[in-house]
C-alpha cells in the first residue's frame, strides 16, 4: 500500500520508481495485481500515461516515467493470458459436475477473483494502450 501511495507523488521520478518496484512485486506474485487494481492502480497508470505521452518535448523525468510505464504495462499485458488460462482451466475442470470437489472449490476461490483484474484493465482507458501494444507485436 505504501508503494501505491508513492504513485501520488508530485515527482515523476518517484512515481517511475514506484512502478518499477510494483513490477518486481508482480513478477514474483501475480495475485498482488488484484490488490493493486483495487487500490486504484489503473487510475494512476492512466494519469501518468497521459502525462508522459510521447510527441511532446519531454523532460528527462517524464521520459524515465514513460519507459518505466512501458515496462510495467508490457508485463501486465503478458500476465493477462496466464490469468485467463488459470481461470479457464479451473472452470474447465468443473464443467458437467453438480458439485465441485473441495480442491476444485479452493482453486475457484483463488482464481476467480483475478477476473476482476481483467475487468479493471479492459474497462479502463488502458484498453487503447493494450490494443496499441498488441498492434506493435
Amino acid at each position: 500500500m505504501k508503494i501505491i501511495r508513492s504513485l501520488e507523488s508530485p515527482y515523476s521520478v518517484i512515481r517511475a520508481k514506484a512502478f518499477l518496484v510494483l513490477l518486481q512485486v508482480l513478477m514474483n506474485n501475480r495475485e498482488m495485481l488484484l490488490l493493486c487494481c483495487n487500490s486504484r492502480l489503473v487510475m494512476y497508470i492512466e494519469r501518468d500515461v497521459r502525462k508522459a505521452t510521447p510527441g511532446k518535448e519531454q523532460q528527462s523525468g517524464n521520459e524515465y516515467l514513460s519507459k518505466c510505464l512501458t515496462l510495467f504495462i508490457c508485463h501486465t499485458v503478458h500476465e493477462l493470458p496466464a490469468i485467463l488460462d488459470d481461470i479457464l482451466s479451473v472452470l474447465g475442470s468443473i464443467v458437467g459436475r453438480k458439485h465441485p470437489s473441495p480442491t476444485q472449490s479452493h482453486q475457484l476461490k483463488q482464481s476467480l477473483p483475478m477476473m476482476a483484474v481483467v475487468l479493471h484493465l479492459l474497462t479502463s482507458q488502458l484498453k487503447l494502450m493494450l490494443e496499441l501494444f498488441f498492434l506493435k507485436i
Side-chain angles (χ1 to χ4, degrees):
M1 294 308 296
K2 289 183 180 184
I3 298 166
I4 297 285
R5 278 190 229 122
S6 297
L7 296 174
E8 297 173 3
S9 172
Y11 302 106
S12 61
V13 174
I14 291 175
R15 292 193 313 270
K17 290 186 182 296
F19 280 118
L20 290 178
V21 170
L22 283 173
L23 175 62
Q24 285 297 312
V25 169
L26 295 177
M27 288 172 93
N28 292 315
N29 186 355
R30 182 188 312 157
E31 286 75 28
M32 289 298 291
L33 190 55
L34 178 60
L35 176 65
C36 291
C37 284
N38 289 337
S39 300
R40 302 175 23 191
L41 173 68
V42 174
M43 182 208 64
Y44 294 123
I45 294 171
E46 290 173 344
R47 179 202 59 203
D48 285 334
V49 163
R50 282 191 298 271
K51 285 184 180 181
T53 305
K56 299 179 190 175
E57 189 66 32
Q58 289 188 349
Q59 300 171 345
S60 64
N62 280 347
E63 187 176 339
Y64 180 62
L65 176 60
S66 178
K67 289 179 181 179
C68 293
L69 273 169
T70 301
L71 287 172
F72 187 84
I73 290 170
C74 287
H75 174 75
T76 305
V77 166
H78 287 291
E79 285 295 315
L80 284 178
I83 291 170
L84 289 172
D85 283 345
D86 290 348
I87 293 169
L88 290 174
S89 172
V90 171
L91 290 174
S93 70
I94 63 167
V95 168
R97 294 182 64 116
K98 284 186 177 181
H99 303 288
S101 69
T103 303
Q104 290 168 332
S105 293
H106 179 70
Q107 290 173 334
L108 281 169
K109 287 177 185 177
Q110 283 186 319
S111 63
L112 283 182
M114 292 299 285
M115 194 64 196
V117 171
V118 176
L119 182 65
H120 276 288
L121 295 174
L122 292 180
T123 59
S124 73
Q125 293 177 0
L126 282 177
K127 183 178 179 193
L128 178 63
M129 285 288 299
L130 297 173
E131 290 169 355
L132 290 174
F133 178 77
F134 283 120
L135 288 176
K136 289 180 184 177
I137 293 178

